[in-house]
Amino acid sequence: MPSRRRIVPVRMDTTSPDPSLPPAPDIPPQPLARMCHRVAYAPWFQWTSTAVIVLNAIVIGVGTYQEATAQFGWLLNLLDEAFLIYFVVELVIRIGSFGTTPWRFFRKGWNIFDFIVIAAALLPGIRENVTLLRLVRLARTVRLMKAFPSLRILLTAVARSMPGALGLLGVCVVVLYLYGMVGWILFAEAEPTEYGSVGQAALTLFGLLTLDNVGEVVRDGMEVTAWAVPYYVSYIFLAGFILVNLLVGVVITSMEEARQIEGAQTNFRSREPETSADTAEILARLEALQRSLNELQSRDDSRN
């Protein structure tokens, strides 16, 4: 007797995200988390947070004036506490939007930065230290950079250019050391202030990277030795032209990569509603197929 294969019904969740919500992944099913998700991804909430960050930066700047601090110090402190309360509430809402998996909030670097900056202001050791507290308050202003695409592109470009820049920095250190040693040999007696040691020579050569007063420096060197011309010309050509232009090339390449990343993320967010609609259509077809398979299974059972 041929064996029969049992068709197990497949449970499908055909619920689709609320179209009134802005495009955002993984809408949690819990009512409270869903409400936090709705608020956290609402444009008005994001613009409010940006405005609060700007006001926080203005209050920090006003606090540097002694006259304003003497007259309105109590108001500035009150506003700072109000901003801190808002940032804590904002952080709680954003973490709560992840529902029963709040650890997913810390998968993004910006979220970790926000958490550290806001949580640091609540630590007892920092609140009693005026200098550290001011630095923590100032760090809140950095959060403004993630609100604007152009600033995000610059930050992404800086981060992506770091490996290449560090490599060029290593080459630049070697060049400065070698030319500093040669400069110490040539000009240590005549110019002890600039070339009295390899450290002073390297610092002097580092200042020449801006090509400021190069002609005067070369003329002063020619009065000491005839080797000054090939020494300075080769250094300026190698360090001032080649290395600096390589650094510019690394930064430009990183800027292009950052623009592509930002454009890809923007296109993904703009296509996300279409993706959700396509997913719902596929789920509907799979559900219809499941019903057909269940009917075939019922007929097969009735015959046997």
Side-chain angles (χ1 to χ4, degrees):
M1 182 177 179
S3 61
R4 293 184 302 164
R5 290 182 300 175
R6 180 69 177 175
I7 300 177
V8 181
V10 179
R11 183 179 178 182
M12 299 180 183
D13 185 9
T14 58
T15 57
S16 60
D18 189 347
S20 64
L21 291 175
D26 299 336
I27 300 179
Q30 299 83 9
L32 181 59
R34 191 178 182 86
M35 183 180 64
C36 292
H37 186 279
R38 184 189 298 271
V39 174
Y41 289 95
W44 64 266
F45 183 76
Q46 298 175 8
W47 282 110
T48 301
S49 300
T50 302
V52 172
I53 294 174
V54 173
L55 292 175
N56 177 73
I58 294 175
V59 170
I60 293 174
V62 173
T64 60
Y65 294 91
Q66 296 182 356
E67 298 82 2
T69 305
Q71 296 182 7
F72 305 103
W74 62 272
L75 179 59
L76 297 178
N77 293 331
L78 181 62
L79 289 175
D80 185 75
E81 294 296 330
F83 293 150
L84 180 59
I85 293 174
Y86 177 84
F87 290 140
V88 171
V89 174
E90 176 203 13
L91 186 65
V92 171
I93 291 175
R94 290 168 56 194
I95 295 177
S97 65
F98 288 86
T100 57
T101 57
W103 57 84
R104 292 191 295 124
F105 173 82
F106 299 97
R107 292 181 178 178
K108 292 185 178 180
W110 275 114
N111 293 342
I112 297 175
F113 175 78
D114 292 345
F115 181 83
I116 293 175
V117 169
I118 297 172
L122 303 175
L123 297 178
I126 295 180
R127 293 188 67 85
E128 282 77 15
N129 192 315
V130 178
T131 302
L132 291 178
L133 185 59
R134 288 176 179 174
L135 291 176
V136 170
R137 291 173 179 173
L138 185 62
R140 299 178 198 164
T141 309
V142 182
R143 301 176 63 224
L144 188 64
M145 294 185 178
K146 71 175 184 179
F148 299 97
S150 57
L151 294 178
R152 290 200 303 267
I153 291 175
L154 288 176
L155 289 177
T156 305
V158 170
R160 296 187 67 85
S161 64
M162 287 304 295
L166 290 176
L168 288 175
L169 178 61
V171 176
C172 185
V173 169
V174 174
V175 171
L176 287 175
Y177 179 78
L178 294 177
Y179 274 87
M181 287 297 299
V182 175
W184 174 77
I185 295 172
L186 295 177
F187 309 111
E189 296 181 359
E191 300 178 6
T193 304
E194 290 80 10
Y195 294 93
S197 64
V198 65
Q200 293 175 335
L203 185 61
T204 302
L205 293 173
F206 183 78
L208 288 179
L209 290 176
T210 61
L211 303 181
D212 187 23
N213 297 327
V214 174
E216 182 179 353
V217 172
V218 174
R219 284 193 296 268
D220 293 341
M222 291 176 61
E223 296 178 359
V224 178
T225 176
W227 290 100
V229 174
Y231 172 76
Y232 284 115
V233 169
S234 62
Y235 171 75
I236 292 172
F237 178 77
L238 178 61
F241 292 157
I242 296 180
L243 293 181
V244 172
N245 286 324
L246 285 175
L247 178 61
V248 172
V250 169
V251 173
I252 292 177
T253 303
S254 301
M255 284 289 294
E256 293 297 328
E257 294 177 355
R259 289 193 182 96
Q260 294 176 2
I261 293 173
E262 184 69 22
Q265 293 178 351
T266 303
N267 293 334
F268 175 78
R269 287 192 292 266
S270 63
R271 290 197 305 264
E272 192 169 353
E274 299 177 2
T275 304
S276 299
D278 295 339
T279 303
E281 183 180 356
I282 293 173
L283 290 175
R285 293 182 178 180
L286 289 175
E287 187 177 0
L289 180 59
Q290 180 66 47
R291 287 197 299 267
S292 301
L293 291 174
N294 291 337
E295 292 177 0
L296 291 175
Q297 179 65 38
S298 300
R299 293 176 183 176
D300 189 33
D301 292 340
S302 62
R303 290 177 182 176
N304 296 323

